[in-house]
Amino acid sequence: MKVLVIGGGGREHALAWRLSKSPSVEELYVSPGNPGIAAVGKCEPAVDYVQFAEARGVDLTVVGPEAPLVAGVVDRFRERGMAIVGPTAENAALEGSKVHSKRFMERIGVPTARFAAVTNDAEAREALRQFRLPVVLKTDGLAAGKGVIIAQSNEEAEAALSSLAYPMVIEEFLEGEEVSFIVLCDGKHGVALEPSQDHKRIFDGDQGPNTGGMGAYSDSRILSSAMRGQIMDTIIEPVVRSTAFTGFLYAGLMMTPAGPSVLEFNVRMGDPETQPLMMRLESDWGEALMAAARGTLTPDAMGWSPEPATCVVMAAAGYPGVPQTGQTISGLDSVTDAVVFHAGTKRSGGDIVTAGGRVLGVTARGADLQDSINRAYAAVGKIHFDGMQYRRDIGAKGLRRYNG
Ligand code: AMP
Ligand code: GLY
């Protein structure tokens, strides 16, 4: 079949890389793609994805990022009877609006932090009195992981009120391990991918501001099969049943002493979680995605390697603020033992240069978690661009947990 991937970041590079190895996929288009993706598929920009797919006889379209989903790309494909993996615009609002998402969870009984939805300073101050410190403030709309402030003091909470836009969710701070639980859904059923863990803060030891994600690893030991079952029963299945959800449902979970609690839903795969996940996937990805689009997903739709994988994000100077762009990237060709997924890169003459905040996702599989970490960092050590920043401790929490 001919497959179109919509997007052009690290997640889409990983999706396309895996699709390019699927026996069921004959031709692969990625729109707009990026210089790394160009090695595995045909990259072309599109004004209108429906027209693009029709003109090329595309059999299946997979949507990477949330923006086209929120804009209704899935609805438009379905109106024409074209196969696509992703949620409707209505269901994409689960990610597009935190207020909507929290109210929805409350209504169907999905465990999530206690919250108040507020629309102005007076309501916010009233709500803040009901929560202990630290307290979490979240702006309602899409904010690329940067619309959340964890206030440690009343002064910080007050400052957050002026730096975040209304409407806002104010919620209880939860403690525990965060897990990314991503499920492929066909409108009736969900089949979980392997668990993974993101590293959201910019600096080692989870210090500094939140980012879109500075690295991720996937290891089966992150969740027992009993816990996976509990998450499917209490969180995923209720959502799929009540919304006829299609596409990727990503539950950002906090594993609290009282059980898993939903921090947020995303309606797409995670970036950078997709990068290690795609390195662990061993079955035909095109077939699994087509089954999801057709409503014929089976529990054995995906097969996974037991070997863990780790992705280290190399980011530009300035990120997560305004990134410095245009720096020449060297060493890409010397990496042999890992896959370098491109995120913010572009071609400039004969060079690949930086063109965004998160530049590369250097990803490796290994015999165990430590081995996958070693391989990823060995590859990182061969790559250079001026001002590059990356965390040195991706996967370290996992190592401490399993070895301790
Ligand atoms: P969100 O966009 O809602 O996932 O929030 C971004 C990040 O903020 C999460 O990945 C957590 O690290 C942190 N966070 C969000 N909500 C809470 C909460 N209620 N308690 C503790 N940390 C939170
Ligand atoms: N890595 C977090 C996200 O994709 O939302």
Side-chain angles (χ1 to χ4, degrees), residues 98 136 138 148 171-174 178 200 263-264:
K98 300 240 187 235
V136 185
K138 303 181 175 184
V148 175
E171 70 179 34
E172 166 196 21
F173 178 81
L174 299 177
E178 276 185 61
K200 289 225 164 73
L263 293 178
E264 64 164 349

Side-chain angles (χ1 to χ4, degrees), residues 371-402:
D371 187 41
S372 75
I373 293 169
N374 292 348
R375 286 168 194 258
Y377 278 106
V380 165
K382 295 179 177 168
I383 299 170
H384 178 86
F385 53 90
D386 284 348
M388 64 187 187
Q389 37 171 353
Y390 58 89
R391 282 180 58 161
R392 269 73 176 170
D393 64 347
I394 302 302
K397 247 199 285 186
L399 289 177
R400 278 199 300 277
R401 213 150 31 115
Y402 308 129

